[in-house]
């Protein structure tokens, strides 16, 4: 194994020439030029250390190299971080921490609201969305959910109600995004949607940054048309996240503006970051690589057509 500090993209793909596999994370870019270079250099497998694959051109990969991922490492890690963002933002513990360390015990500006009895809207009821919904149900919230593939039995178990996205955004005090980013749902939360949300509502995004039109979000926050935003992901995060820029000037004016708002809490794509999740990511990635090179198997392959782990390798066809 050889570790490179450079991010994978068309500028750096040449570094992988002569190897059999590349191992990539969320902000590496596996677009068509990168995939063509990797394939020309002999790479046969791209092993993603993450669940999302929006950064991979799966169509370009088809017939050139296989793409495997870690479909589930710890959905609890991500769901619990979404809740951490919500609780901090609502009860302003991050502000209180800074104040009390400075000997300032004033309560001014620290008013939150009870979650109990309020309505939570969960967009995407896959593994993470279902756990988040369960936690919020435990707080005594009414839970609205939306997903193109509803799971009625699960919803009944926590008395969640599937509704159209319009109703979810209009009726929720807290909205949390847990769907994958696809070309169809880019800027799912845009100016039109934000204009329907409750003025005190809090939006949490641990999904992918581009699910939200950030400029429209900033406008809504500036005009006090929504109450706050807890963001673990940002649509242009690959320029900044995972690196220390504290001594540099942030040239992304949208990110810089976002960071100035008192009712915004940004974390740098750390929702997955628990001991359990890291162990599971490492284990599954090694298994994925071993399965392919030792046994010719692709247990966690992602197919460009169905966008899911499929039986393509085993059956020779998934469609
Ligand atoms: P999953 O595949 O179990 O569930 C995703 C659900 O979203 C599915 O039920 C799907 O039908 C639904 N969906 C798709 N498009 C939708 C739409 N437009 N509206 C509503 N629902 C829609 O995925 P999982 O494990 O729950 O992860 C969700 C997302 O969370 C991942 O795709 C990834 O982008 C993000 N994630 C973020 C992490 C972080 O550290 N911030 C870590 C892991 C995942």
């Amino acid at each position: 194994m050889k570790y490179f500090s450079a991010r994978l993209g068309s500028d750096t793909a040449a570094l992988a020439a002569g190897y059999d596999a590349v191992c990539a994370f969320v902000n590496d870019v596996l677009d068509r030029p990168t995939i063509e270079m990797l394939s020309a250099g002999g790479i046969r497998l791209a092993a993603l250390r993450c669940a999302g694959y929006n950064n991979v051109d799966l169509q370009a990969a088809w017939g050139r190299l296989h793409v495997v991922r870690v479909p589930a490492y710890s959905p609890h890690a991500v769901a619990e971080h979404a809740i951490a963002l919500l609780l901090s933002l609502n009860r302003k513990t991050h502000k209180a921490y800074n104040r009390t360390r400075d000997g300032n015990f004033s309560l001014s500006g620290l008013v939150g609201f009870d979650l109990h009895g309020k309505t939570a809207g969960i967009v995407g009821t896959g593994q993470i969305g279902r756990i988040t919904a369960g936690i919020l149900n435990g707080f005594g919230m009414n839970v609205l959910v939306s997903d193109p593939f509803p799971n009625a039995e699960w919803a009944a178990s926590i008395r969640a109600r599937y509704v159209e996205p319009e109703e979810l955004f209009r009726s929720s005090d807290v909205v949390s995004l847990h769907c994958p980013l696809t070309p169809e749902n880019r800027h799912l939360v845009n100016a039109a949607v934000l204009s329907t949300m409750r003025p005190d509502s809090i939006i949490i995004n641990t999904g992918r940054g581009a699910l939200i039109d950030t400029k429209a979000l900033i406008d809504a926050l500036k005009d006090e048309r929504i109450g706050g935003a807890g963001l673990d992901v940002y649509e242009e995060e690959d320029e900044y996240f995972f690196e220390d820029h504290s001594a540099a000037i942030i040239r992304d004016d949208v990110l810089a503006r976002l960071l100035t708002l008192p009712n915004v809490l940004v974390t740098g794509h750390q929702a997955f970051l628990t001991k359990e999740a890291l162990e599971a990511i490492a284990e599954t990635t090694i298994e994925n690589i071993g399965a392919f090179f030792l046994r010719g198997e692709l247990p966690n392959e992602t197919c460009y057509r169905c966008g899911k782990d499929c039986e393509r390798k085993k059956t020779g066809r998934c469609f």
Side-chain angles (χ1 to χ4, degrees), residues 25-26 50-54 69-75 77-78 81 122-130 145-150 162 165 177-182 184-186 188 205-209 211 232-233 237 242 268-273 307-308:
F25 197 47
V26 286
C50 49
Y53 44 86
N54 52 290
R69 63 179 184 135
V70 184
Y73 30 97
S74 174
V78 183
H81 190 77
I122 306 295
V123 181
T125 54
Q127 302 177 86
I128 299 169
R130 288 201 304 273
V145 287
S146 79
D147 195 305
F149 300 98
Y162 276 100
L177 305 180
H178 298 289
C179 57
L181 175 65
T182 63
E184 294 75 37
N185 67 16
R186 193 186 151 77
L188 173 80
N205 189 8
T206 57
R208 283 291 180 267
L211 291 171
D232 185 51
V233 285
E237 69 180 45
F242 304 134
H269 206 139
Q270 68 172 74
F272 70 98
L273 201 60
K308 299 230 184 240

Side-chain angles (χ1 to χ4, degrees), residues 166 169-170 188-199 201 216-217 219-221 223 225-226:
E166 295 74 23
F169 284 104
R170 195 177 57 236
L188 173 80
V189 180
N190 52 30
V193 168
L194 287 159
S195 72
T196 66
M197 290 178 66
R198 294 185 171 181
S201 61
L217 175 68
D219 287 343
L221 288 160
D223 297 347
R225 284 185 278 110
I226 69 162

Side-chain angles (χ1 to χ4, degrees), residues 84 87-98:
L87 292 179
S88 303
L89 198 57
N90 179 27
R91 303 305 300 272
K92 302 167 178 62
T93 49
H94 54 310
K95 292 183 188 224
Y97 171 78
N98 284 328

